């Protein structure tokens, strides 16, 4: 039997967890909005046209922050198109996703949806085809109380109180050639700095996220962060990181080790932020916003086919990845990685939320169901609040194509404000269970209350509308702990939530 040990101490704290680490993302892309959160003709639609079944699934997930309206979409977006009488809003060609955007759902409608969902908005401004002027205008429209042209326009459009959007993205993936208005790091750093200054002059209470690299695989990664931060460090608050993983070759062990790369990525960006801080003799600390992360690859060929057939239609079914069991395990490990780095990662957005590379799926006119990846996110968001604790993990290791010494057991712990403790762990072993001993002696009297597990014998198992419960969590029996040293058995290839009171 393989064995592992986790030592936890209530005083080995990583950091308080910013709840915004459980953010997600809704872009005007595919069926995320139209046919996802919004479907006026659906039998379960509310008076505003929002699907109440989707709303329930979102609430159960616990998403305190939603990034909006893009993504690549935002780099060609004119925010003015999305406000005012719906029937007067223009239809536009969206060059990011070769779709027609009707603007039926705009800023006011989305703000209503977010309020109902219990989420705050993280709003991205267009720094691709537009610049500082339009960026400061939307802050005035959304946040200024009144008695100015744009705040009065908001009031005229039906919203007396400011929307109070506190978190803003300065563009999206501006390093990428696929982006409308791609920039060099210097060009971006300058425009981000000028936009940031003006946006904060309108509303000094806002926080701003500057675009980091769109992936650690970009040839400009590192240099991009250094150059752009050199221009805008003092006026921004966070740097964004984006990362998606794939398993096109069916190498499960290698796929599950990809969080080693995610961890390196985070640590590299932290180092660059701190290097710029040092160089500038600054007192300010810039933190990280991992505002796009997930698995993404299943739908890529399908999307090419869709574009061959139906380019420019409304709400094309794009990026509809069907997630399998191993994807849920990697998502679990990605959550563990974010929590382990929560001293610097203050914001993170699972990309995305509904239909588009999403934990929640819908059929137009039909049902709504949870994909495999829904469950680790729901567990982490529900139980992973409070303070993250450093887990000292003594685990067997394995080697794979890209990494040596990958720990078989990946873990982090969190302590809620009521003192209860949760350990999240993934057993990456393909075939063997692992006998895990937890050394919790510093917690005094502690009782294990629950062992929730997500496991399936087939890594390719998926949930569908017809069979939504193929991959769902189960409770394992809990044995009484022995003097602060509980023992649990982690099934091979499993996501585990161990809860102690
Ligand atoms: O989340 C899907 C897309 O991935 C986003 O629009 C873009 O920012 C990233 O490339």
């Amino acid at each position: 039997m393989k064995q592992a040990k986790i030592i936890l101490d209530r005083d080995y704290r990583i950091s308080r967890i910013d709840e915004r680490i459980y953010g997600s993302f809704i872009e005007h892309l595919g069926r995320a909005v139209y046919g996802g959160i919004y479907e006026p003709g659906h039998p379960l639609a509310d008076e505003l046209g929002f699907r109440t079944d989707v709303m329930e699934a979102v609430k159960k997930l616990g998403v305190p922050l939603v990034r909006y309206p893009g993504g690549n979409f935002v780099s060609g977006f004119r925010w003015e198109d999305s406000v005012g009488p719906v029937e007067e809003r223009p239809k536009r060609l969206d060059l990011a996703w070769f779709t027609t955007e009707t603007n039926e759902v705009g800023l006011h409608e989305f703000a209503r949806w977010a309020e109902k969902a219990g989420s705050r908005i993280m709003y991205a401004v267009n720094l691709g085809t537009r610049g500082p002027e339009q960026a400061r205008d939307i802050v005035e429209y959304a946040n200024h109380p009144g008695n100015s042209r744009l705040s009065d326009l908001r009031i005229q459009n039906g919203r007396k109180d400011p929307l109070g959007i506190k978190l803003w993205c300065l563009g999206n993936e501006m390093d990428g050639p696929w982006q409308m208005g791609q920039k060099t790091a210097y060009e971006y750093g300058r425009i981000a700095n000028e936009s940031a200054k003006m946006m904060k002059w309108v509303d000094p209470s806002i926080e701003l996220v500057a675009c980091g690299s769109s992936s650690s695989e970009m040839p400009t990664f590192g240099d991009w962060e250094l150059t752009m931060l050199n221009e805008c460090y003092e006026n921004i608050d966070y740097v964004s990181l984006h990362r998606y993983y794939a398993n096109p070759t069916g190498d499960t062990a290698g796929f599950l080790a990809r969080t080693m790369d995610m961890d390196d990525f985070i640590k590299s960006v932290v180092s660059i932020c701190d290097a710029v801080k040092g160089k500038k003799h600054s007192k300010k600390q810039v933190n990280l916003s991992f505002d796009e992360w997930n698995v993404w690859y299943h739908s890529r060929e399908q999307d090419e086919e869709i574009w061959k057939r139906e380019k420019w239609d409304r709400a094309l079914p794009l990026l509809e990845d069907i997630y399998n069991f191993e994807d849920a395990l990697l998502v679990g490990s990605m959550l563990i990685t974010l929590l382990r780095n929560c001293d610097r990662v203050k914001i993170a957005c699972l990309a995305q939320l509904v239909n588009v590379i999403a934990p929640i799926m819908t059929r137009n006119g039909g049902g709504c169901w949870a994909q495999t990846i829904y469950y680790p996110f729901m567990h982490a968001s529900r139980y992973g609040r409070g303070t993250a604790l450093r887990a000292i993990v003594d685990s067997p290791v394995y080697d794979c194509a890209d990494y040596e010494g990958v720990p078989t057991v990946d873990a982090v712990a969190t302590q809620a404000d009521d003192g209860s403790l949760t350990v999240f762990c993934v057993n990456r072993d393909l075939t063997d269970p692992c006998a895990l001993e937890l050394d919790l002696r510093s917690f005094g009297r502690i009782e294990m209350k629950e062992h929730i597990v997500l496991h399936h014998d087939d890594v390719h198992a998926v949930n569908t509308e017809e069979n939504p419960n193929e991959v769902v969590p189960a409770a394992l029996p809990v044995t009484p702990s022995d003097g602060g040293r509980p023992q649990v058995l982690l099934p091979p290839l499993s996501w585990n939530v161990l809860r102690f009171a």
Side-chain angles (χ1 to χ4, degrees):
M1 172 77 74
K2 296 229 168 103
Q3 295 195 334
K5 182 175 172 181
I6 295 180
I7 305 172
L8 288 174
D9 190 295
R10 61 197 313 159
D11 291 325
Y12 296 171
R13 298 189 194 106
I14 298 172
S15 166
R16 185 131 191 106
I17 301 159
D18 189 321
E19 65 163 16
R20 296 175 301 173
I21 210 167
Y22 300 117
S24 188
F25 180 22
I26 291 188
E27 176 165 4
H28 279 256
L29 190 189
R31 296 190 310 120
V33 175
Y34 309 115
I37 61 168
Y38 178 78
E39 195 182 342
H42 193 279
L44 296 175
D46 67 9
E47 69 292 355
L48 300 172
F50 293 124
R51 283 186 63 156
T52 52
D53 51 349
V54 176
M55 179 67 76
E56 282 319 302
V58 171
K59 282 186 179 163
K60 228 171 111 189
L61 210 50
V63 181
L65 184 78
V66 185
R67 186 165 177 251
Y68 178 82
N72 296 342
F73 169 79
V74 87
S75 295
F77 178 57
R78 301 154 168 103
W79 70 264
E80 305 89 322
D81 290 352
S82 79
V83 299
V86 176
E87 56 293 354
E88 289 172 21
R89 295 183 195 164
K91 287 198 181 95
R92 297 270 190 197
L93 295 187
D94 164 24
L95 307 189
W97 302 108
F98 305 112
T99 306
T100 299
E101 172 56 51
T102 59
N103 287 301
E104 288 154 80
V105 170
L107 179 57
H108 290 250
E109 293 78 22
F110 189 74
R112 294 287 298 277
W113 180 86
E115 277 159 12
K116 284 184 167 217
S119 307
R120 283 173 290 159
I121 297 176
M122 174 188 203
Y123 195 89
V125 299
N126 175 358
L127 293 189
T129 59
R130 304 188 115 188
E133 182 163 73
Q134 292 87 6
R136 61 141 309 179
D137 282 354
I138 172 76
V139 178
E140 177 182 328
Y141 183 91
N143 286 4
H144 194 67
N147 211 14
S148 72
R149 163 128 169 79
L150 292 171
S151 57
D152 287 345
L153 186 59
R154 180 196 71 238
I155 296 167
Q156 190 187 312
N157 287 337
R159 175 87 190 202
K160 184 167 179 310
D161 293 332
L163 292 164
I165 300 175
K166 293 295 172 203
L167 190 60
W168 297 75
C169 302
L170 296 164
N172 176 71
E173 296 189 348
M174 298 306 313
D175 59 332
W178 57 87
Q179 207 68 220
M180 287 172 263
Q182 181 199 7
K183 305 205 163 19
T184 65
Y186 177 74
E187 286 166 344
Y188 173 69
R190 292 286 307 124
I191 200 174
N193 191 56
E194 295 310 305
S195 305
K197 268 167 35 187
M198 290 162 64
M199 291 164 80
K200 283 188 171 172
W201 282 336
V202 176
D203 180 354
S205 73
I206 62 175
E207 291 190 305
L208 299 173
V209 183
C211 293
S213 297
S214 46
S215 146
S216 48
E217 285 183 341
M218 293 298 286
T220 46
F221 169 57
D223 211 23
W224 171 275
E225 280 74 4
L226 206 55
T227 307
M228 73 88 183
L229 278 173
N230 207 27
E231 300 307 315
C232 63
Y233 190 88
E234 292 299 339
N235 288 312
I236 60 108
D237 305 284
Y238 305 92
V239 173
S240 76
L241 295 83
H242 291 180
R243 197 72 174 96
Y244 297 97
Y245 294 112
N247 185 14
T249 59
D251 169 16
T252 300
F255 179 58
L256 296 181
R258 300 299 281 153
T259 47
M260 306 281 279
D261 170 79
M262 188 183 190
D263 196 69
D264 281 348
F265 185 21
I266 292 171
K267 294 199 161 64
S268 304
V269 178
V270 166
S271 306
I272 297 169
C273 289
D274 293 350
V276 177
K277 176 183 178 188
K279 180 182 163 215
K280 288 186 173 292
H281 304 201
S282 175
K283 295 215 172 349
K284 172 177 179 168
Q285 176 167 294
V286 165
N287 285 319
L288 310 195
S289 170
F290 213 124
D291 46 43
E292 288 188 33
W293 67 270
N294 203 347
V295 174
W296 175 12
Y297 74 105
H298 298 284
S299 61
R300 290 204 187 249
E301 280 173 25
Q302 186 178 307
D303 291 345
E304 293 304 327
E305 291 305 312
I306 292 172
W307 279 316
K308 273 187 212 152
R309 287 194 316 264
E310 304 161 77
K311 210 168 175 180
W312 305 124
D313 273 2
R314 172 187 177 273
L316 295 172
L318 298 171
L319 279 67
E320 299 205 358
D321 273 43
I322 304 302
Y323 290 114
N324 60 31
F325 170 59
E326 70 175 13
D327 298 330
L329 292 179
L330 185 66
V331 161
S333 264
M334 292 176 91
L335 286 157
I336 290 172
T337 308
L338 292 169
L339 284 168
R340 260 203 310 258
N341 288 286
C342 74
D343 53 333
R344 299 302 293 268
V345 179
K346 299 295 170 190
I347 301 158
C349 302
L350 172 68
Q352 299 193 8
L353 188 55
V354 184
N355 288 333
V356 171
I357 44 174
I360 300 167
M361 292 301 291
T362 70
R363 182 165 59 81
N364 294 348
C368 164
W369 64 100
Q371 297 229 54
T372 59
I373 63 169
Y374 184 92
Y375 296 104
F377 189 94
M378 180 186 79
H379 292 147
S381 171
R382 189 174 290 174
Y383 304 122
R385 306 279 177 139
T387 302
L389 301 179
R390 191 161 306 286
I392 299 172
V393 186
D394 186 5
S395 160
V397 293
Y398 67 92
D399 297 339
C400 59
D402 291 327
Y403 293 97
E404 286 179 3
V406 181
T408 305
V409 174
D410 191 21
V412 73
T414 60
Q415 186 164 32
D417 294 339
D418 66 3
S420 64
L421 178 72
T422 303
V423 179
F424 299 101
C425 50
V426 170
N427 181 9
R428 292 173 166 133
D429 199 297
L430 303 189
T431 50
D432 291 341
C434 181
L436 176 69
E437 180 190 333
L438 291 126
D439 184 338
L440 307 178
R441 283 170 298 173
S442 77
F443 292 87
R445 254 194 82 225
I446 191 152
E447 272 306 317
M448 186 159 172
K449 291 286 176 207
E450 215 178 356
H451 179 176
I452 307 169
V453 70
L454 189 70
H455 169 77
H456 200 287
D457 290 336
D458 178 6
V459 288
H460 298 116
V462 299
N463 292 338
T464 60
E465 185 179 9
E466 296 72 36
N467 189 10
N469 297 325
E470 186 61 29
V471 184
V472 287
L476 291 186
V478 170
T479 42
S481 19
D482 166 21
R485 286 174 176 264
Q487 308 265 345
V488 291
L489 195 66
L490 307 177
L493 288 183
S494 58
W495 158 257
N496 299 267
V497 183
L498 312 173
R499 302 194 58 229
F500 300 86

